[in-house]
Amino acid sequence: MAGELLDNRGRGDVAWSFPPIHPEGRKFGLIAVGISLIFLLLLDWEIIGWPLLALSAGVFAFFRDPERVVPHSDGAILAPADGLVSLIAQVEPPEELKIDDGSGIEGLPAGPVTRVSIFMSVFDVHINRAPIGGVIRRLVYIPGKFLNADLDKASEENERQHILIERADGTRIGFTQIAGLVARRIVPFVKEGDTVGSGQRVGLIRFGSRVDVYLPADTDSKVLLGQRVIAGETVLAEMGQALHLEGIAQ
């Protein structure tokens, strides 16, 4: 009916529902349930079985995959992860995102840029999403340590995966999935050459981790330290709209 207000799924009524579980996590949840039932039903060890059953619910919750409403803005750089903005710093992009890799496709330019780091606890959604729409130009996996992902040096020492996306206008955004103390696996959903939409699912990191986003030189972060962000919904920055804070202050 003309004038009817619809939700993000095209429905006329809005209602809360349990978020779906990503297929990557169903096997882990079912294994945990199976082990807990063995202790409860076969061994009758309730002191172990009930805590394991509660842990099974936690495993399913960890892999929840809620729908997100992506902002319609050509210049928006979206948060690729749910979590806490733990670091904002001026840094050089990682070498893997800058160097000539022999493909003939340019990487990120040299020079300091703003890096926004988003820390994901075990309670956050761990599905990562594309900050912009475009083509996956690089997907570089690097083995490493499993330090606390909240530490600044985790960007250079931990197991990580760099992703470079190029828009149709040539703008390139790099971001990095970083494993943490508990996270032991970075799972990509995309490969080099794939075309992704803004806010599209691109991968996940199991059990607590961090994602770094490298903003282009002509942008400034629109988020603050300590702010919680939502993957695919929160706008980290607007391209081509750098904030001249010094001029505003004057």
Side-chain angles (χ1 to χ4, degrees):
M1 184 175 67
E4 182 180 8
L5 295 178
L6 302 177
D7 70 359
N8 66 311
R9 294 185 182 178
R11 302 171 301 188
D13 296 320
V14 177
W16 186 88
S17 61
F18 283 101
I21 306 301
H22 192 274
E24 181 69 24
R26 293 172 190 167
K27 57 185 176 183
F28 294 100
L30 291 175
I31 290 172
V33 169
I35 294 174
S36 63
L37 291 179
I38 290 175
F39 280 98
L40 284 172
L41 302 180
L42 297 182
L43 302 178
D44 197 26
W45 290 3
E46 294 189 1
I47 193 171
I48 297 177
W50 286 116
L52 283 178
L53 195 60
L55 179 62
S56 303
V59 171
F60 280 120
F62 176 86
F63 287 101
R64 65 195 184 279
D65 185 14
E67 293 295 329
R68 296 291 162 81
V69 181
V70 179
H72 293 287
S73 172
D74 291 338
I77 301 173
L78 306 180
D82 285 28
L84 185 75
V85 177
S86 58
L87 293 167
I88 300 177
Q90 292 290 311
V91 301
E92 281 279 341
E95 287 299 315
E96 294 81 7
L97 292 176
K98 292 192 304 179
I99 60 174
D100 182 358
D101 63 355
S103 66
I105 298 172
E106 293 184 16
L108 296 180
V113 296
T114 300
R115 183 188 68 199
V116 178
S117 300
I118 302 169
F119 177 77
M120 297 177 285
S121 75
V122 294
F123 301 105
D124 289 309
V125 173
H126 274 59
I127 303 295
N128 299 150
R129 294 173 179 262
I132 60 171
V135 179
I136 305 292
R137 293 302 189 189
R138 293 186 188 179
L139 194 68
V140 185
Y141 171 79
I142 301 174
K145 300 178 181 178
F146 296 97
L147 304 174
N148 185 346
D150 210 18
L151 298 175
D152 187 44
K153 62 182 179 180
S155 296
E156 299 178 354
E157 297 187 20
N158 277 23
E159 176 181 330
R160 57 202 181 275
Q161 180 167 260
H162 301 296
I163 301 177
L164 182 68
I165 302 180
E166 183 178 18
R167 296 202 324 171
D169 63 3
T171 301
R172 297 179 297 278
I173 298 290
F175 64 103
T176 305
Q177 299 169 289
I178 303 171
L181 277 173
V182 183
R184 297 285 163 162
R185 179 78 191 278
I186 299 173
V187 183
F189 301 161
V190 294
K191 62 184 183 301
E192 290 185 3
D194 284 354
T195 299
V196 297
S198 181
Q200 181 177 325
R201 299 166 180 84
V202 295
L204 67 82
I205 318 175
R206 293 177 187 160
F207 307 113
S209 43
R210 169 176 145 192
V211 174
D212 288 346
V213 187
Y214 298 90
L215 303 179
D218 62 343
T219 60
D220 285 320
S221 169
K222 288 184 175 293
V223 294
L224 302 174
L225 284 174
Q227 179 176 339
R228 296 200 63 82
V229 297
I230 299 175
E233 291 192 359
T234 303
V235 176
L236 295 183
E238 289 280 351
M239 286 183 280
Q241 296 183 10
L243 300 178
H244 301 288
L245 298 182
E246 298 85 352
I248 295 175
Q250 293 174 358

